[in-house]
Amino acid sequence: VDSVFPIGGTVTGTALLDGSTAGRLSVLSDLTHHDDATGDSHLAGTVSYAEGKAENGGIPWINADLAVAPLSLTTVGAFAPAAGLHGTVAGPVRLAGPLRALRLDAHLATQDSGTIEAHGVANLAGRDPNAKSFDGTIATHLFNARSVVTNAPPTSLTAAASVHGHGLTAASVDAVLQARIQASSYASVAVDSALVRLSAADGVLHVDTCALVVPHGMANVHGTLGLTRERHGTLSYAAVIDSLGAFARFLPRDTCVV
């Protein structure tokens, strides 16, 4: 194990290769990775890769139809330790299309039965991060962030979100994100519902809508927030609470002796 390839263990199973790297290459695999330190991962399915033809701008093409049962996020996290990944996910993952219109369809379940479903299309061709684009949706059901990220708070998140735009840097991103949250919880806070609409352009995040309804209260946030050092913004909020007792655990206590 080293910093370049920071995982160990053993890989067993079968992998059948067909084609050549000069044209089209296909792999039919059924592989299991075992590592006492990070756990087991099982990957089965087909992956095909083809070099792009000149008449199509030379854009590579990918077709992957895989079943992960499961995938150890601890193993994945070894490549990015700061992410704090752990646990497992399982389910079908499909990627298809040229890199300039690569489609993702995935339906994954965590080990505590929460689910994440994602669908979308992205342009990943070329080296310019400002030219890359994305358009997709993600839905979660009873998703517990702590089941996949060590330092995340415990959650039970049921929500649907969509995002579309282009640019992958804070200064260049031009995108719109909308999310609707149903009955959920974050840490020990219950959320009845929430509606969020965010947009970003020219290094500024616009909070167009952020309406949160919780037991005994509601809050609204709107305004702008700079995404780079050169850009600034102002956020405003309003909250209505019908019982401070419901939020007593979040309020500082008077420790003075009278």
Side-chain angles (χ1 to χ4, degrees):
V1 179
D2 57 38
S3 59
V4 177
F5 196 74
I7 60 174
T10 59
V11 176
T12 59
T14 60
L16 177 64
L17 278 70
D18 183 28
S20 79
T21 55
R24 173 173 175 154
L25 181 65
S26 296
V27 181
L28 174 62
S29 64
D30 189 341
L31 301 172
T32 299
H33 172 253
H34 173 75
D35 188 337
D36 289 335
T38 63
D40 293 348
S41 295
H42 178 229
L43 183 68
T46 60
V47 178
S48 299
Y49 174 85
E51 289 290 343
K53 296 182 180 180
E55 58 266 29
N56 295 325
I59 304 298
W61 177 86
I62 296 174
N63 186 15
D65 195 351
L66 303 169
V68 292
L71 173 66
S72 168
L73 296 179
T74 307
T75 300
V76 176
F79 294 91
L85 295 176
H86 74 152
T88 62
V89 293
V93 177
R94 179 172 174 77
L95 288 167
L99 284 185
R100 65 182 174 192
L102 187 62
R103 180 164 188 84
L104 166 69
D105 293 288
H107 191 126
L108 300 173
T110 60
Q111 59 195 41
D112 61 355
S113 299
T115 61
I116 307 172
E117 187 172 350
H119 305 279
V121 178
N123 175 9
L124 303 179
R127 297 182 178 180
D128 182 3
N130 300 331
K132 300 185 187 301
S133 62
F134 42 86
D135 186 351
T137 63
I138 184 169
T140 63
H141 180 68
L142 302 179
F143 172 67
N144 180 9
R146 181 168 286 183
S147 70
V148 296
V149 179
T150 303
N151 294 327
T155 66
S156 178
L157 181 62
T158 298
S162 65
V163 60
H164 65 88
H166 62 83
L168 299 182
T169 66
S172 68
V173 64
D174 188 331
V176 174
L177 180 146
Q178 298 184 79
R180 185 180 295 274
I181 300 173
Q182 300 178 32
S184 300
S185 65
Y186 178 88
S188 58
V189 179
V191 177
D192 290 336
S193 65
L195 182 64
V196 178
R197 187 183 189 279
L198 309 176
S199 60
D202 300 322
V204 177
L205 176 68
H206 299 264
V207 182
D208 303 317
T209 302
C210 182
L212 176 69
V213 179
V214 299
H216 308 289
M218 61 183 299
N220 285 276
V221 180
H222 65 90
T224 56
L225 183 67
L227 298 176
T228 67
R229 291 182 178 180
E230 297 77 19
R231 307 292 281 172
H232 306 280
T234 301
L235 287 176
S236 301
Y237 69 90
V240 177
I241 300 172
D242 63 22
S243 173
L244 286 177
F247 300 90
R249 64 184 183 276
F250 302 113
L251 302 176
R253 295 186 178 182
D254 187 352
T255 58
C256 296
V257 177
V258 179

